[in-house]
Amino acid sequence: MISGIGKGITAASIGKLISARGLKVTMQKCDPYLNMDAGTLNPSEHGEVFVTKDGGETDLDLGHYERFIDTELTRKSSTMSGKIYSKVLSDERKGMYLGKTIQIIPHITNEIMNQIIASGEGSDVHIAEVGGTVGDYEAMAWIEAIRQMKRRVGEDNILYAHVVYVPYLAVSKEFKTKPAQNSVRDLREAGIQPDILCVRSDEPINAEAFEKMSLYCDVDKDAIVALPNSKSVYEVPLRMEEAGLGNYICKFIGLNCKKPDLKDWKLLVDRIKQPKSSVSVGVVAKYMSNEDTYLSVFEALRSAGWHHSLDINIVWIDSEKLIGDEFEFAGLDGILVPGGFGSRGLEGKIWAARYARQNKVPYLGLCLGMQVAVIEFAREVLNDPSANSSEIDPDTKNPVIHIMPDQIGVDLGGSMRLGNYKAKLNKKSRSFLAYGKGSIIERHRHRYEFNNDYLVQLEAAGLVIAATSPDGKLVEIVEHSNHPFFVASQFHPEFKSRPNKPHPLFRDFVGAIKFAQGSQIKHEQKKTVSRDN
Ligand code: GLN
């Protein structure tokens, strides 16, 4: 009906209800835009690029899916018009259509159905979320394809869920269901009668609005679930379950399943709601306009906070505005530098890493956040303030971060290290302690690497190489010892973090903050005691 009302969370929550019943769920985002993947989209416009284990650069909704159903998805879980058209056009060039006229219906719609079916292979239930809104010009082929899907898989095997929004008019003190009715009408015009309605609203809707929706939209009252704003998105599956939606869906598609096990999830939500003390973490970044840009980073931070019964107050620090003043980090309990591309704001991030190292403030660096930590330290060790990454300064005398010789010349789209890679950990490192094992697999999305020409020198000066690729050639984690917590990884741990299982590096980063605070409190108490004495 309108964008931004939480289709992704709604879809992920339905996935949770089904996976909690012991069934295997896969999920997929279908985006009507013409890109080939989300990799080239501007994050400040479109939010985070979520990287799958097989290196797919996808829409941030896949992050919601993975966090809710706790399953690692693949690039097949993200498709868009660009991917569909390019497949159809390349098949046409190969002569696979045998001289036929290629048309939106049936060729594009068939390819959409093929990609949806392929993405669901091996699962009991597949959930496909169509992006955009009903009536969008570019979404039409998608809506038509999901309509036809009913014929393809049989009407007992498919269920249509529509997410609507019911506004509240303060002047007349009433909920307005008309826009929702209109969007259901548009959907019916396209040949789809929704089986369930997920009704978003700012406040809980009243019985009258409920009745109206059921009557005018022709949807069972049992199949309408009210989803007023909640404190945490993780409450949504519980709300749906309370409303009986899980059982309704299972009955509707004839799923034979167990009783839902949502114990862990309930504990999570209880933990989220408990009042806690809070700590402040500065996120030093350049994309400041949109919270979604670092969605998985924020979720990983928050879940580490819940684990330690702490609220994380995320403080945005605009790296472009940093001028190298100590006061710029006043009041922060920890500093995090997330991933990024290009030179804008880089000096500010380098300064943040230096401040954290020298002032013993817990630091977590993610991808670019690792590279700036290396540059920072190298500048001091080499006594060369111009040491840099060759991404930023191709002519620097000391490219401590560089492109691997075998990657030079590959075009931008193809030269990234993407998705899962193994790493082995140094047993004496802080990271080894966090993971509790010597071998890990993490997701990557970067082009530049630690330059091994500087390894011996930086290590001798105190940089801890905490993890490398199994062959030892690529540096994966650097640390500083003699510091409460200074860990920076070349990969993106945030993608593997879960709300009820925070990633070990995030968990221990926040743990170190908590510990530092505890000792500070003890220290202050001691001071008061000694003063009282
Ligand atoms: N720009 C850096 C690189 O390409 C870091 C990328 C990132 O932070 N994801 O290597």
Side-chain angles (χ1 to χ4, degrees):
M1 187 183 133
I2 48 173
S3 61
I5 50 175
K7 264 198 319 292
I9 297 291
T10 307
S13 300
I14 293 177
K16 178 75 200 169
L17 297 187
I18 300 170
S19 65
R21 286 168 161 78
L23 295 173
K24 183 162 191 295
V25 178
T26 45
M27 299 196 64
Q28 179 179 32
K29 180 74 188 288
C30 301
D31 275 305
Y33 50 70
L34 279 165
N35 300 59
M36 294 280 285
D37 63 34
T40 52
L41 292 172
N42 181 346
S44 56
E45 232 172 76
H46 202 83
E48 153 187 285
V49 174
F50 187 83
V51 182
T52 54
K53 64 174 178 180
D54 59 344
E57 296 179 280
T58 71
D59 187 90
L60 55 78
D61 274 321
L62 266 79
H64 294 312
Y65 305 162
E66 288 206 359
R67 285 187 286 274
F68 277 69
I69 65 172
D70 192 13
T71 299
E72 290 195 271
L73 301 168
T74 66
R75 60 173 76 237
K76 279 192 193 161
S77 280
S78 169
T79 188
M80 53 221 52
S81 297
K83 230 174 170 176
I84 304 285
Y85 277 82
S86 96
K87 172 77 171 60
V88 170
L89 295 176
S90 86
D91 283 355
E92 187 269 343
R93 290 291 82 192
K94 287 183 203 145
M96 288 168 74
Y97 289 106
L98 297 170
K100 288 226 171 64
T101 311
I102 310 301
Q103 296 183 295
I104 306 264
I105 306 172
H107 302 105
I108 294 295
T109 45
N110 279 349
E111 183 55 30
I112 292 175
M113 284 191 279
N114 292 346
Q115 292 199 12
I116 291 178
I117 285 173
S119 164
E121 258 159 29
S123 65
D124 299 309
V125 176
H126 181 62
I127 300 175
E129 176 197 346
V130 179
T133 59
V134 177
D136 281 353
Y137 200 69
E138 50 181 17
M140 266 146 63
W142 294 87
I143 301 286
E144 171 59 13
I146 63 166
R147 184 195 70 77
Q148 292 181 16
M149 191 69 108
K150 189 173 193 163
R151 295 277 147 256
R152 184 128 158 199
V153 300
E155 60 180 354
D156 295 338
N157 294 317
I158 194 165
L159 174 145
Y160 296 97
H162 187 40
V163 186
V164 293
Y165 176 69
V166 170
Y168 179 72
L169 279 195
V171 255
S172 54
K173 296 196 176 54
E174 54 181 346
F175 288 100
K176 286 295 189 188
T177 61
K178 186 65 96 194
Q181 292 174 37
N182 288 346
S183 90
V184 170
R185 194 193 52 215
D186 289 346
L187 196 56
R188 279 165 157 173
E189 247 169 49
I192 296 175
Q193 164 65 41
D195 300 308
I196 59 180
L197 282 183
C198 300
V199 185
R200 292 278 299 111
S201 58
D202 292 339
E203 298 293 329
I205 56 168
N206 56 21
E208 193 194 338
F210 225 87
E211 293 285 341
K212 265 197 186 163
M213 302 272 291
S214 172
L215 186 63
Y216 295 114
C217 303
D218 200 17
V219 175
D220 250 359
K221 262 199 276 182
D222 290 349
I224 303 180
V225 58
L227 299 172
N229 289 351
S230 49
K231 188 166 172 281
S232 156
V233 293
Y234 300 110
E235 269 180 68
V236 179
L238 301 181
R239 291 256 171 101
M240 287 181 167
E241 188 57 37
E242 278 157 25
L245 197 71
N247 288 342
Y248 188 92
I249 293 173
C250 292
K251 218 166 121 201
F252 193 97
I253 35 180
L255 293 172
N256 210 348
C257 49
K258 297 191 283 199
K259 279 206 165 124
D261 178 4
L262 288 162
K263 272 196 301 301
D264 260 20
W265 208 257
K266 280 190 187 128
L267 284 176
L268 166 72
V269 171
D270 286 347
R271 226 177 307 133
I272 294 174
K273 285 180 166 173
Q274 262 162 30
K276 302 171 268 294
S277 56
S278 82
V279 294
S280 294
V281 174
V283 173
V284 185
K286 68 174 177 186
Y287 301 115
M288 307 294 296
S289 54
N290 181 351
E291 268 232 5
D292 284 351
T293 316
Y294 302 105
L295 188 66
S296 293
V297 174
F298 286 8
E299 287 307 300
L301 262 181
R302 290 190 185 110
S303 37
W306 301 324
H307 177 89
H308 292 290
S309 296
L310 287 175
D311 257 330
I312 308 284
N313 171 28
I314 294 170
V315 183
W316 286 84
I317 306 216
D318 184 346
S319 54
E320 281 188 279
K321 296 219 173 95
L322 292 173
I323 50 164
D325 193 317
E326 303 269 324
F327 290 111
E328 290 170 322
F329 303 109
L332 294 179
D333 303 303
I335 294 177
L336 185 150
V337 178
F341 291 83
S343 60
R344 200 151 60 77
L346 196 91
E347 287 302 320
K349 293 177 190 174
I350 294 173
W351 159 231
R354 168 152 304 178
Y355 178 89
R357 176 173 65 87
Q358 292 181 337
N359 294 281
K360 306 225 182 291
V361 178
Y363 177 89
L364 184 62
L366 311 173
C367 208
L368 184 66
M370 174 264 200
Q371 299 178 351
V372 295
V374 172
I375 296 169
E376 177 285 304
F377 191 57
R379 284 184 180 181
E380 191 169 285
V381 175
L382 305 169
N383 196 15
D384 172 13
S386 68
N388 215 326
S389 157
S390 55
E391 177 184 14
I392 311 303
D393 178 4
D395 303 320
T396 174
K397 193 158 91 255
N398 284 305
V400 289
I401 302 293
H402 72 158
I403 214 150
M404 300 295 271
D406 53 353
Q407 288 289 350
I408 293 174
V410 182
D411 66 339
L412 281 192
S415 60
M416 283 240 232
R417 194 145 78 102
L418 279 168
N420 271 1
Y421 284 89
K422 277 194 189 148
K424 63 171 189 219
L425 292 164
N426 166 350
K427 294 215 164 69
K428 289 196 202 105
S429 66
R430 188 67 193 72
S431 303
F432 180 78
L433 210 64
Y435 282 99
K437 57 182 179 189
S439 164
I440 55 169
I441 299 176
E442 292 283 1
R443 297 189 205 170
H444 295 67
R445 182 176 185 246
H446 61 103
R447 196 167 283 123
Y448 294 81
E449 306 276 356
F450 182 103
N451 185 344
N452 291 329
D453 293 349
Y454 296 90
L455 195 121
V456 174
Q457 201 176 355
L458 294 184
E459 237 184 332
L463 190 71
V464 178
I465 306 299
T468 64
S469 53
D471 62 6
K473 284 193 182 142
L474 302 170
V475 171
E476 290 278 11
I477 306 181
V478 299
E479 296 179 2
H480 286 295
S481 49
N482 250 330
H483 190 286
F485 188 95
F486 193 110
V487 175
S489 67
Q490 184 57 84
F491 50 81
H492 289 272
E494 66 270 26
F495 297 134
K496 284 182 81 173
S497 191
R498 301 287 183 252
N500 46 358
K501 277 183 274 173
H503 187 284
L505 295 185
F506 278 88
R507 186 198 63 214
D508 285 11
F509 168 57
V510 174
I513 293 174
K514 185 176 178 175
F515 185 79
Q517 279 221 327
S519 35
Q520 199 179 327
I521 292 168
K522 269 191 224 133
H523 184 68
E524 270 158 23
Q525 274 168 350
K526 242 192 231 155
K527 272 203 300 203
T528 353
V529 172
S530 53
R531 225 177 292 136
D532 287 350
N533 287 346

